[in-house]
């Protein structure tokens, strides 16, 4: 969580503030947020939005120009703080769930520094001692997944540490994974942007492996 984000917010709480404190978000109802601006000690409501499910995480991004809001239905939406217009399409993490791969709790989503991709993270606790994490990377404009949904579980038969932390690299081209309390030690990485020489092979690979005929675009 960001130090400016409140965990488990209640109705009426200010759930997150900008770095300068001039703008903040208040939870009006479990499904409704309002963005306020502090003008000379008085509060002015800029815009409000009601979501289809209770809001669980809210944070600012892109130097506080964007607002990232998540609901308990595993939907992430990105909004322009100034205009109240949504950026891109809603990202529906649940579209990738399978019957036996459904998490119980969404973890905070992150936007890459290039503002093109969004990382979703979710969690499932299987008592007494099994924890499962899922990670997904999405294109913000289209709302479509960039990679298959990844799963890590703490019952690794090879004895490797479980990958519980995930971040996007500065250029947004890598998904970086690390174990618990190892935020600076990258254990694994997934390349999100294929090299140019590989991209040229994708149409032939799709036809040969999947029986799909697609164009070079």
């Amino acid at each position: 969580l960001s130090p400016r984000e409140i965990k488990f917010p209640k109705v009426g709480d200010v759930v997150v503030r900008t770095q300068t404190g001039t703008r903040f978000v208040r939870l009006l109802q479990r499904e409704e947020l309002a963005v306020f601006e502090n003008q000379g000690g008085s509060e002015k409501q800029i815009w409000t939005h009601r979501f289809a499910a209770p809001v669980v995480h809210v944070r600012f991004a892109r130097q506080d120009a964007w607002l990232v809001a998540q609901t308990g239905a595993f939907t992430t939406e990105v909004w322009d703080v100034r205009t109240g217009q949504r950026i891109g399409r809603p990202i529906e993490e649940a579209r990738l769930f399978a019957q036996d791969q459904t998490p119980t709790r969404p973890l905070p989503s992150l936007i890459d520094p290039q503002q093109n991709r969004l990382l979703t993270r979710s969690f499932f606790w299987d008592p007494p001692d099994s924890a499962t994490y899922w990670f997904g990377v999405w294109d913000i404009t289209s709302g479509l997944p960039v990679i298959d949904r990844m799963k890590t579980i703490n019952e690794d038969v090879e004895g490797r540490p479980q990958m519980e932390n995930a971040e996007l690299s500065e250029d947004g081209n890598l998904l970086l994974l690390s174990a618990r309390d190892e935020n600076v030690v990258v254990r694994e990485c997934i390349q999100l942007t294929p090299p140019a020489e590989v991209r040229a092979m994708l149409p032939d690979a799709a036809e040969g492996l999947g029986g799909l005929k697609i164009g070079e675009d």
Side-chain angles (χ1 to χ4, degrees), residues 10-214:
K10 302 185 299 297
V11 172
D13 282 348
V14 173
V15 292
V16 67
R17 297 180 183 272
T18 59
Q19 297 183 43
T20 61
T22 55
R23 287 178 177 164
F24 58 90
V25 178
R26 191 184 299 278
L27 191 64
L28 300 184
Q29 301 292 332
R30 289 299 303 156
E31 301 85 7
E32 187 176 12
L33 294 177
V35 177
F36 288 85
E37 190 170 47
N38 193 337
Q39 296 181 340
S42 61
E43 299 179 0
K44 177 184 177 182
Q45 182 174 307
I46 303 176
W47 57 271
T48 183
H49 180 75
R50 179 180 289 273
F51 297 84
V55 177
V56 293
H57 295 296
V58 187
R59 52 177 46 196
F60 286 105
R62 199 186 181 190
Q63 289 77 51
D64 294 339
W66 287 1
L67 185 71
V68 182
Q70 293 172 256
T71 72
F74 297 90
T75 298
T76 302
E77 298 185 22
V78 182
W79 294 80
D80 186 301
V81 173
R82 184 179 59 85
T83 65
Q85 298 296 311
R86 191 173 60 214
I87 307 295
R89 299 181 61 83
I91 292 172
E92 306 284 354
E93 188 180 354
R95 67 189 295 178
L96 301 183
F97 293 174
Q99 185 174 359
D100 59 343
Q101 294 188 349
T102 301
T104 55
R105 180 159 57 95
L107 302 178
S109 295
L110 298 174
I111 293 178
D112 78 289
Q114 302 299 319
Q115 295 97 44
N116 296 318
R117 291 170 173 162
L118 182 136
L119 167 65
T120 59
R121 304 178 291 185
S122 50
F123 175 80
F124 176 76
W125 176 252
D126 187 9
D129 57 359
S130 180
T132 304
Y133 292 82
W134 284 274
F135 306 114
V137 181
W138 307 74
D139 176 71
I140 292 177
T141 301
S142 65
L144 295 176
V146 176
I147 63 172
D148 289 335
R149 182 167 172 248
M150 294 183 56
K151 175 183 178 181
T152 70
I153 189 168
N154 64 353
E155 295 177 348
D156 197 318
V157 295
E158 298 179 359
R160 297 183 303 139
Q162 182 185 17
M163 300 296 103
E164 297 183 3
N165 300 319
E167 302 283 347
L168 293 170
S169 61
E170 288 292 326
D171 60 7
N173 291 331
L174 295 174
L175 173 61
L176 310 175
L177 302 172
S178 67
R180 179 184 297 180
D181 301 326
E182 291 185 350
N183 294 319
V184 296
V185 179
V186 177
R187 294 295 187 99
E188 298 179 11
C189 66
I190 304 296
Q191 189 170 4
L192 303 174
T193 303
E197 59 271 19
V198 174
R199 289 179 62 88
M201 302 176 185
L202 292 180
D204 290 338
E207 184 174 1
L209 298 176
L212 304 175
K213 183 64 177 178
I214 61 175

